[in-house]
Amino acid sequence: MPASSSVAALPLYICLAGPTASGKTAAALAIARAHPVEIISVDSALVYRGMDIGTAKPTAAELASVPHHLINIRDPLQAYSAAEFVQDAHTLIRAITARQRLPLLVGGTMLYFRALFDGIDPMPAAQPALRAAIEQEAQEKGWPAMHAELAQVDPVTAARLAPADSQRIQRALEVYRASGLPLSHFHARSGTTAPSTVPLIALEPLDRAWLHTRIAQRFDAMLAAGFVDEVRALRARGDLHAELPSMRCVGYRQAWDMLEGVGDLAAMRDRGIAATRQLAKRQITWLRSMPQRQVVDCQAEDATEQVLRAVEARMAKGAQA
């Protein structure tokens, strides 16, 4: 099924989104206890097997408590694209509905949500030669200079990327050089497409400092749970490297660098927390561009109950349609 297929023909599904550490998993499991749902993960890191601690993957017990999809479907050596997600999600939404259960899409990869809602044009496939050339230029000029170059050809994408975000700058320049079109062209909502009306419940913090504290606490909990050993085991495989999408995931890149001799554990912790904060900031920016979202303050004591009520209201409205 083409990635640009209309979502209008899909059965009812509900989305629960939010930045990292906003409590999405707990809220999703509460919904699953109250209603017959199946969860479709909307997370570009949870697709990878063997990457459990650093992705805050649901525990084995949580995964067993309700059917989950699109978790542990790729080896870290493999890539997984937004277009593949859309195709998989379309198939799953229809299959779950046929089982008379509600598809509940949960996660924080906002590009996947946007692609599902609005469709995406097929982007140029990865081109190793172009990527290597861009990498070589970056070594000579630095990533801030590459970011400045991106701002000239794709100001929309450059505006949402940090000057040191090498992975995304590299991909954006690769797409432009391969196609002559900016990455934002492929991500942009079509001018003839009506704003999405798919139910989207967004867990967002009113106080950013609260989320920052949660991020630090969770990163420390990951370290205590053996995160560095998890990355060490991945590195010991011998076939993975730091430029793979899997190893560029927040936290994994910082831990990999430390194991390569860049800084000590304390420095890695600081870099990992800072990178996670930047990820959360980008996620919130994406969410604010989705006008149909219904915001729930994730720091409220009754946030889970608010989410549950919002889901039930959406379900009732859908049943009447």
Side-chain angles (χ1 to χ4, degrees):
M1 180 182 302
S4 58
S5 297
S6 170
V7 299
L10 290 173
L12 173 69
Y13 62 96
I14 292 178
C15 299
L16 175 63
T20 184
S22 60
K24 298 183 295 294
T25 297
L29 293 174
I31 295 167
R33 287 192 293 270
H35 299 284
V37 305
E38 295 189 25
I39 295 172
I40 300 174
S41 171
V42 188
D43 191 299
S44 61
L46 294 188
V47 300
Y48 295 115
R49 295 185 289 271
M51 295 173 57
D52 303 329
I53 299 171
T55 61
K57 192 174 289 179
T59 66
E62 290 169 339
L63 291 173
S65 68
V66 57
H68 284 72
H69 304 277
L70 303 188
I71 294 178
N72 295 328
I73 62 170
R74 288 287 189 276
D75 182 85
L77 195 58
Q78 301 170 307
Y80 187 68
S81 69
E84 289 174 299
F85 167 79
V86 170
Q87 183 170 351
D88 290 343
H90 279 200
T91 301
L92 286 164
I93 287 167
R94 291 189 169 92
I96 293 167
T97 303
R99 292 192 285 270
Q100 297 186 328
R101 300 173 74 86
L102 176 71
L104 177 64
L105 283 75
V106 182
T109 300
M110 304 307 165
L111 174 60
Y112 286 8
F113 278 119
R114 176 61 63 82
L116 181 63
F117 297 160
D118 303 331
I120 54 174
D121 293 330
M123 277 188 280
Q127 301 197 23
L130 266 179
R131 185 165 294 186
I134 293 167
E135 184 77 31
Q136 180 62 38
E137 287 181 45
Q139 290 179 5
E140 297 170 0
K141 303 177 183 177
W143 283 109
M146 303 304 288
H147 180 268
E149 178 184 329
L150 178 63
Q152 296 298 314
V153 298
D154 187 357
V156 173
T157 299
R160 65 179 180 81
L161 300 182
D165 191 346
S166 58
Q167 176 188 5
R168 292 176 178 83
I169 294 169
Q170 183 182 55
R171 178 56 178 157
L173 286 171
E174 179 187 354
V175 168
Y176 178 77
R177 293 183 185 183
S179 67
L181 294 170
L183 183 64
S184 54
H185 164 83
F186 297 98
H187 290 173
R189 183 186 304 241
S190 168
T192 60
T193 301
S196 176
T197 57
V198 174
L200 172 63
I201 301 162
L203 281 166
E204 299 179 30
L206 296 183
D207 179 6
R208 197 72 63 89
W210 176 89
L211 186 64
H212 289 174
T213 298
R214 291 258 299 184
I215 286 170
Q217 290 172 342
R218 191 168 76 166
F219 201 88
D220 286 337
M222 290 174 179
L223 290 175
F227 174 50
V228 173
D229 287 336
E230 179 177 84
V231 180
R232 184 178 286 112
L234 290 166
R235 184 168 170 268
R237 283 179 34 163
D239 60 343
L240 302 178
H241 57 82
E243 302 308 315
L244 287 167
S246 58
M247 294 300 102
R248 286 180 177 269
C249 289
V250 167
Y252 287 86
R253 182 58 182 267
Q254 289 75 31
W256 187 287
D257 286 347
M258 183 195 71
L259 293 172
E260 292 282 340
V262 179
D264 57 12
L265 181 62
M268 184 275 284
R269 174 189 178 273
D270 291 344
R271 292 197 306 272
I273 290 172
T276 309
R277 287 183 177 183
Q278 287 299 313
L279 170 62
K281 181 179 180 181
R282 291 194 301 271
Q283 290 169 316
I284 292 170
T285 298
W286 275 88
L287 276 171
R288 288 176 176 170
S289 72
M290 299 178 183
Q292 83 274 25
R293 82 194 198 284
Q294 178 178 347
V295 177
V296 172
D297 178 10
C298 59
Q299 65 193 85
E301 290 186 4
D302 64 340
T304 298
E305 289 76 11
Q306 289 186 50
V307 169
L308 190 54
R309 289 196 297 270
V311 167
E312 290 168 349
R314 295 287 193 169
M315 290 172 65
K317 183 176 180 180
Q320 295 167 4

